[in-house]
């Protein structure tokens, strides 16, 4: 009857009864929820105008229909803040509001969201919607494999047309009447009706769909088929229940498969994120290495340029040295010639003037030579400071533990150093030769000067000779400083090479540090794993402790049960005492007709049985020491009572058996009854004591 459609005037009440929302507590909370403010109010206001725009109830802007729709959606967004507001839910709420008041519609909608798993569809992740799409695709594959192949060929996904089926329960697909009938069955049977009707639409038009492209299929499913079934909804429901084979167990199996597949995809996404992160770090490392490589290439080019400059400087220094040698020879020859010329023409004024001009020229050369010497000295001091600085830096950067591993890198440097040393040795040897020749020249000049002094007393010649000597000495010192400058430059080159070696050592140390850092990270990860295992062990220990506590509590409960049984045993003993007292009073009231030797014998037999049973009780008490401790006081009382009863029974058996009426039972019957009762009581007591 529900599948055929609930009558319109009963529909609102039946929906509440079918989903058990007629007694929902949300009806009471609805008024309080309307007084609160929802963070989704702007979104709700924006989408309300697009909900059932063709219906008169919701057509007017800010009308009563839109107002109650806003209230219900806002109230639910406050109840379920995880879901909040989703656009598809407005069509379901609007369908409910056209059948019942807003409080009842809110209660039914809340029940549908929570009990019919609709809230899983509207969660931000929409995992349930993906599950529905997966189940629908498998149903299509099962019922119409050719159609599914055509969908794949056209890249036509089910989410392109079926998402609104599940999110709005066909409210946006069919007219209000058909949507209401679908809601009837949905509230009664659940999500099964959505699968049946959606699959029935596809199967009924399978041949048409196979012949269409993507746009044609989308137009047919979203427009033409709904218009066709709006005219004959019974045909749609008939196809849904006749053509579609729906198996709930298989749907559960598909759900498990989808959840497993989704968990694997999530794990793969996590792994992909890790790989992306590692890739980004590797790219950054590559960029850093490229920058470092570029820096090293620049340094290498700079070193080659410096070598070329040094070679060029060596060539220039060689040329200057040869020029200096020639100038020294020419100056010596010129000085000797001028001295001889002055000796030959002593009175010539022009010669005197030339000699004075030559002396001034020599003085200027001397000043310039001294200036060059001062500049060379300052340059030497700066180079020495630079050498000291580089030596200090080398002492700071040198790693003695890795010098052996860097011998290969020092081969080229040592070769250059050997070449420089050979050049320096050549320069030193040439300098020694020049010094020797200079000493010879000085000796000859001194001899010549002594002869000249003896021949002439002119002071101008002596001054001229002194100036020439001082000039040559200055040039000699200049040449020596130039050689020292070359040595200092070679030393600077050596220190720069050492600095480069230390830099490469530092780079290797940085690589080692990176490796150690990676190992440290691995160790930290292992520590986290071990910590997790330790937490699991602690959890297991806590679980074991809880089990031990439960076992201890059960032992205490059994101990309490034993205490209760002991109390019951005490009550049984008290009952036996009362029965004994009653039997004593009964014996006092027996008629005198039973006063005979036979009755006396029977009573004595009974007394003997009582004593025997009392001994059995004592034996059982000794076998149960725990119970005996709680009965010590009672046992003493019972022993004294039983001993007193023995004397009283012996006395009462002979005295009070007279005067019995003939209506009483015979002594044998009395004996049997008494034995039976006492046997039952003693067996009960024995079983309790043994337990």
């Amino acid at each position: 009857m529900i599948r055929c459609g609930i009558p319109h005037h009963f529909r609102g009440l039946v929906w509440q009864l079918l989903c058990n929302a007629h007694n929902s507590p949300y009806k009471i909370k609805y008024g309080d929820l309307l007084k609160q403010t929802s963070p989704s109010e702007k979104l709700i206001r924006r989408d309300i105008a697009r909900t059932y725009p063709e219906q008169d109830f919701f057509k007017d802007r800010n009308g009563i229909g839109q107002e109650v729709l806003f209230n219900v959606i806002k109230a639910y967004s406050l109840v379920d803040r995880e879901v909040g507001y989703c656009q598809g839910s407005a069509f379901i709420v609007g369908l409910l509001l056209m059948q019942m008041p807003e409080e009842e519609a809110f209660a039914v909608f809340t029940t549908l969201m929570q009990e019919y798993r609709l809230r899983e569809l509207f969660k931000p992740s929409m995992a349930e919607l993906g599950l529905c799409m997966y189940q629908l695709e498998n149903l299509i594959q099962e019922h119409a494999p050719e159609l599914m192949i055509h969908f794949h060929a056209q890249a036509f996904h089910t989410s392109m047309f079926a998402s609104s089926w599940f999110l709005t329960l066909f409210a946006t697909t069919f007219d209000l009447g058909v949507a209401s009938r679908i809601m009837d069955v949905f509230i009664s049977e659940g999500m099964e009706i959505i699968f049946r009707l959606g699959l029935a639409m596809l199967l009924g038009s399978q041949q048409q769909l196979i012949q269409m492209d993507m746009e044609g299929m989308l137009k047919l499913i979203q427009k033409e088929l709904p218009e066709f079934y709006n005219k004959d909804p019974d045909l749609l429901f008939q196809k849904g229940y006749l053509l579609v084979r729906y198996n709930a167990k298989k749907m559960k199996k598909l759900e498990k498969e989808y959840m497993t597949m989704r968990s694997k995809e999530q794990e793969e996404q996590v792994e992909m994120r890790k790989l992306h992160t590692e890739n980004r770090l590797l790219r950054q490392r590559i960029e850093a290495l490229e920058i470092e490589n570029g820096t090293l290439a620049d340094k290498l080019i700079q070193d080659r340029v410096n070598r070329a400059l040094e070679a060029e400087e060596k060539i220039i220094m060689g040329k200057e040295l040869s020029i200096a040698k020639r100038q020294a020879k020419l100056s010596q020859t010129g000085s000797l010639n001028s001295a001889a010329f002055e000796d030959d023409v002593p009175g010539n004024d022009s010669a005197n003037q030339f000699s004075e001009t030559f002396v001034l020229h020599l003085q200027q050369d001397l000043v310039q030579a001294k200036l060059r010497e001062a500049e060379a000295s300052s340059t030497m001091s700066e180079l020495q400071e630079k050498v000291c600085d580089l030596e200090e830096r080398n002492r700071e950067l040198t790693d003695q533990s890795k010098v052996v591993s860097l011998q290969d890198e020092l081969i080229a440097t040592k070769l250059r150093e050997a070449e420089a040393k050979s050049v320096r040795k050549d320069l030193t040897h040439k300098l020694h030769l020049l010094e020797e020749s200079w000493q010879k020249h000085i000796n000859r000049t001194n001899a010549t000067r002594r002869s000249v002094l003896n021949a002439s007393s002119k002071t101008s010649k002596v001054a001229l000779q002194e100036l020439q000597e001082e000039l040559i000495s200055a040039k000699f010192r200049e040449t020596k400083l130039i050689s020292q400058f070359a040595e200092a430059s070679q030393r600077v080159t050596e220190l720069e090479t050492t600095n480069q070696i230390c830099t490469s050592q530092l780079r290797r140390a940085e690589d080692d540090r990176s490796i150690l850092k990676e190992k440290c990270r691995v160790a930290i990860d292992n520590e986290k794993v071990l910590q997790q295992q330790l937490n699991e062990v602690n959890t297991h220990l806590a679980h074991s402790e809880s089990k031990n506590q439960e076992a201890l509590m059960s032992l205490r409960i059994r101990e309490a049960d034993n205490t209760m049984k002991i109390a019951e045993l005490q009550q049984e003993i008290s009952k036996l005492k009362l029965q004994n007292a009653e039997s004593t009073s009964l014996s006092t009231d027996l008629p005198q007709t039973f006063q005979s030797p036979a009755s006396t014998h029977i009573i004595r037999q009974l007394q003997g049985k009582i004593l025997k049973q009392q001994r059995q009780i004592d034996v059982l008490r000794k076998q149960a020491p725990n119970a005996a401790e709680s009965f010590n006081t009672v046992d003493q009382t019972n022993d004294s009572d039983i001993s007193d009863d023995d004397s009283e029974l012996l006395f009462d058996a002979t005295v009070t058996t007279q005067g019995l009426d003939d209506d009483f039972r015979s002594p044998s019957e009395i004996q049997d009854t008494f034995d039976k009762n006492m046997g039952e009581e003693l067996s009960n007591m024995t079983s309790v004591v043994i337990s």
Side-chain angles (χ1 to χ4, degrees):
M1 292 174 64
I2 291 174
R3 291 174 184 175
C4 293
I6 301 173
H8 178 71
H9 50 281
F10 287 133
R11 183 164 280 150
L13 179 60
V14 174
W15 283 359
Q16 296 181 56
L17 295 174
L18 285 175
C19 64
N20 294 323
H22 56 288
N23 292 325
S24 177
Y26 289 105
K27 292 182 181 180
I28 302 173
K29 298 178 181 179
Y30 181 71
D32 296 333
L33 292 172
L34 293 181
K35 297 177 183 179
Q36 302 178 17
T37 302
S38 173
S40 304
E41 290 185 4
K42 292 184 179 179
L43 296 175
I44 298 171
R45 290 287 187 189
R46 184 191 64 188
D47 295 335
I48 278 180
R50 293 179 283 182
T51 304
Y52 294 114
E54 73 280 357
Q55 297 295 327
D56 296 334
F57 186 63
F58 300 105
K59 185 180 297 184
D60 296 335
R61 183 175 181 83
N62 298 326
I64 186 172
Q66 292 189 5
E67 189 64 28
V68 295
L69 180 61
F70 171 79
N71 292 337
V72 174
I73 299 174
K74 169 191 169 183
Y76 183 78
S77 66
L78 293 170
V79 170
D80 191 352
R81 294 185 180 273
E82 181 181 3
V83 174
Y85 166 68
C86 187
Q87 185 177 1
S89 61
F91 291 94
I92 301 175
V93 175
L95 187 62
L96 296 175
L97 287 172
M98 284 186 281
Q99 305 295 334
M100 61 188 74
E102 54 180 314
E103 293 86 355
E104 298 173 355
F106 173 69
V108 173
F109 179 68
T110 306
T111 304
L112 293 179
M113 293 289 285
Q114 295 178 355
E115 302 296 333
Y116 289 75
R117 298 187 66 178
L118 286 181
R119 70 183 302 272
E120 302 296 329
L121 289 172
F122 294 110
K123 279 185 177 180
S125 62
M126 287 191 172
E128 188 72 14
L129 182 60
L131 172 61
C132 293
M133 295 295 104
Y134 180 74
Q135 291 173 339
L136 181 62
E137 288 177 357
N138 280 273
L139 289 175
I140 296 172
Q141 181 68 34
E142 179 184 356
H143 290 80
E146 296 179 357
L147 181 60
M148 196 64 192
I149 293 172
H150 182 65
F151 282 175
H152 289 313
Q154 296 291 330
F156 190 58
H157 302 287
T158 54
S159 59
M160 298 173 66
F161 59 88
S163 299
S164 61
W165 294 356
F166 294 95
L167 291 175
T168 64
L169 305 179
F170 285 109
T172 58
T173 305
F174 296 107
D175 290 342
L176 183 60
V178 183
S180 299
R181 285 189 60 179
I182 295 172
M183 181 63 74
D184 296 339
V185 185
F186 175 78
I187 296 176
S188 176
E189 301 179 12
M191 195 63 73
E192 176 183 349
I193 186 62
I194 308 299
F195 288 103
R196 286 186 178 276
L197 298 182
L199 198 58
M201 291 172 60
L202 298 176
L203 294 178
S205 304
Q206 179 179 355
Q207 298 301 325
Q208 299 178 17
L209 291 170
I210 291 175
Q211 298 175 0
M212 295 181 177
D213 57 357
M214 181 189 294
E215 295 180 357
M217 289 189 292
L218 194 62
K219 181 179 179 182
L220 179 65
I221 294 173
Q222 291 184 345
K223 293 183 179 180
E224 296 178 2
L225 289 179
E227 291 177 357
F228 174 75
Y229 287 112
N230 282 331
K231 300 175 182 178
D232 191 2
D234 294 331
L235 179 61
L236 177 63
F237 280 86
Q238 184 179 1
K239 288 182 179 180
Y241 285 97
L242 292 178
L243 299 178
V244 179
R245 298 183 303 274
Y246 184 88
N247 190 348
K249 293 183 179 179
K250 187 174 182 180
M251 299 296 282
K252 287 289 185 182
K253 183 179 179 180
L254 292 175
E255 181 178 357
K256 291 181 181 179
E257 291 178 358
Y258 177 77
M259 297 307 294
T260 304
M261 182 175 62
R262 182 174 175 82
S263 62
K264 290 182 180 179
E265 288 179 355
Q266 290 178 353
E267 291 176 359
E268 290 176 356
Q269 289 178 359
V270 172
E271 189 67 24
M272 286 297 294
R273 284 197 292 270
K274 289 182 180 179
L275 292 175
H276 284 311
T277 304
E278 293 178 359
N279 190 14
R280 187 177 67 254
L281 295 176
L282 290 174
R283 286 180 179 176
Q284 293 177 359
R285 181 62 177 168
I286 289 170
E287 291 176 357
L289 292 174
E290 288 178 353
I291 294 172
E292 186 176 359
N293 189 15
T295 304
L296 293 175
D298 294 337
K299 288 183 179 179
L300 180 60
I301 294 170
Q302 187 66 31
D303 291 338
R304 290 180 178 177
V305 172
N306 292 332
R307 291 175 191 173
L309 292 175
E310 289 175 359
E312 186 177 357
E313 288 178 358
K314 289 178 182 178
I315 295 170
I316 293 171
M317 289 174 64
K319 291 180 180 180
E320 290 179 353
L321 183 60
S322 61
I323 293 170
K325 287 180 179 180
R326 288 196 296 270
Q327 289 178 355
K329 290 180 180 179
L330 292 173
S331 61
Q332 290 176 3
T333 305
S335 62
L336 292 175
N337 293 330
S338 62
F341 179 75
E342 288 177 356
D343 291 336
D344 294 336
V345 190
N348 194 355
D349 296 335
S350 62
N352 292 331
Q353 186 177 3
F354 175 75
S355 62
E356 291 176 359
T357 305
F358 185 69
V359 168
L360 292 174
H361 180 68
L362 289 175
Q363 288 178 354
Q364 292 176 358
D365 292 339
L366 180 61
V367 171
Q368 291 179 358
K370 289 183 178 180
L371 289 174
R372 286 195 296 271
E373 183 180 359
E375 291 177 356
S377 299
S378 63
T379 305
M380 284 293 296
S381 62
E382 291 177 358
L383 290 173
Q384 288 177 357
E385 290 178 358
K386 189 175 182 181
V387 167
C388 294
D389 188 13
L390 291 173
E391 286 178 352
E392 291 178 358
R393 290 176 62 185
N394 287 333
R395 283 196 296 272
E396 293 177 356
L397 296 175
T398 302
D399 188 2
Q400 297 296 333
S401 62
K402 293 186 178 181
V403 172
V404 178
S405 63
L406 298 175
Q407 289 180 354
D408 295 335
E409 297 181 3
L410 293 176
I411 293 173
T413 305
K414 288 183 178 180
L415 291 174
R416 293 195 301 270
E417 184 179 359
E419 292 176 359
K421 286 182 179 179
S422 63
V423 173
R424 189 181 64 181
K425 286 181 180 179
D426 293 338
L427 290 174
T428 305
H429 180 65
K430 291 178 181 179
L431 186 61
H432 285 305
L433 293 176
L434 181 61
E435 189 174 3
E436 289 176 359
S437 63
W438 172 247
Q439 290 294 333
K440 292 178 181 179
H441 174 69
I442 291 296
N443 293 329
R444 289 196 300 270
T445 305
N446 289 330
T448 305
R449 187 173 59 180
R450 283 194 298 270
S451 62
V452 171
L453 289 173
N454 292 327
S456 178
S457 60
K458 292 183 178 180
T459 59
S460 61
K461 293 181 180 180
V462 176
L464 180 62
Q465 292 292 332
E466 290 178 354
L467 289 174
Q468 288 178 351
E469 292 175 359
E470 190 173 357
L471 178 61
I472 294 171
S473 300
K475 288 183 178 180
F476 178 76
R477 287 195 299 271
E478 182 180 1
T479 305
K480 191 174 182 179
L481 288 174
I482 290 170
S483 63
Q484 291 178 358
F485 178 76
E487 291 178 357
S489 300
Q490 181 65 28
R491 181 62 177 166
V492 169
T493 304
E494 292 176 359
L495 291 175
E496 287 179 351
T497 305
T498 308
N499 190 12
Q500 183 179 1
I501 293 169
C502 293
T503 304
S504 60
Q505 291 176 357
L506 287 176
R507 185 173 65 254
R508 289 192 181 89
E510 181 67 22
D511 296 336
D512 296 338
R513 189 182 68 83
S514 300
I515 294 170
L516 292 175
K517 189 175 181 181
E518 183 67 21
K519 291 181 180 179
C520 182
R521 185 183 65 79
V522 174
I524 291 172
D525 294 337
N526 294 331
E527 184 180 359
K528 289 181 180 178
V529 173
L530 294 174
Q531 184 66 30
Q532 186 177 3
Q533 294 177 357
L534 180 61
N535 293 333
E536 292 177 356
V537 171
N538 292 331
T539 305
H540 182 68
L541 290 175
H543 185 64
S544 300
E545 290 179 358
S546 63
K547 286 185 177 180
N548 293 333
Q549 292 291 336
E550 292 177 358
L552 182 61
M553 290 299 296
S554 63
L555 289 174
R556 290 180 179 176
I557 291 170
R558 286 198 296 272
E559 184 179 357
D561 293 337
N562 293 331
T563 305
M564 293 294 293
K565 289 180 180 179
I566 291 170
E568 292 177 357
L569 187 59
Q570 291 177 354
Q571 291 179 359
E572 293 293 335
I573 292 172
S574 300
K575 289 180 182 180
L576 289 175
K577 282 185 179 182
L578 292 175
Q579 290 178 1
N580 191 7
E582 290 177 357
S583 63
T584 303
S585 62
L586 180 63
S587 63
T588 55
D589 296 336
L590 288 174
Q592 295 181 358
T593 57
F594 284 94
Q595 188 176 2
S596 62
S599 62
T600 302
H601 179 69
I602 292 169
I603 292 171
R604 288 178 179 176
Q605 288 180 353
L606 292 173
Q607 291 175 353
K609 290 182 179 181
I610 291 171
L611 292 174
K612 188 183 291 184
Q613 291 172 354
Q614 183 65 36
R615 291 190 191 98
Q616 292 178 357
I617 292 172
D618 293 336
V619 171
L620 293 174
R621 287 175 178 172
K622 290 178 181 179
Q623 291 177 356
N626 294 329
E629 290 178 0
S630 63
F631 291 143
N632 286 333
T633 307
V634 179
D635 290 341
Q636 294 175 2
T637 306
N638 290 336
D639 293 338
S640 62
D641 292 340
I642 292 171
S643 62
D644 293 337
D645 290 339
D646 292 339
S647 60
E648 289 177 0
L649 286 171
L650 291 172
F651 178 78
D652 293 337
T654 55
V655 177
T656 61
T657 55
Q658 298 178 357
L660 291 173
D661 296 332
D662 296 335
D663 297 332
F664 286 93
R665 293 172 292 178
S666 64
S668 60
E669 293 177 354
I670 294 173
Q671 181 181 358
D672 294 337
T673 304
F674 187 78
D675 289 339
K676 184 178 180 181
N677 293 331
M678 291 298 293
E680 292 176 355
E681 295 295 336
L682 289 174
S683 63
N684 293 330
M685 293 174 61
T686 303
S687 63
V688 172
V689 172
I690 290 173
S691 63

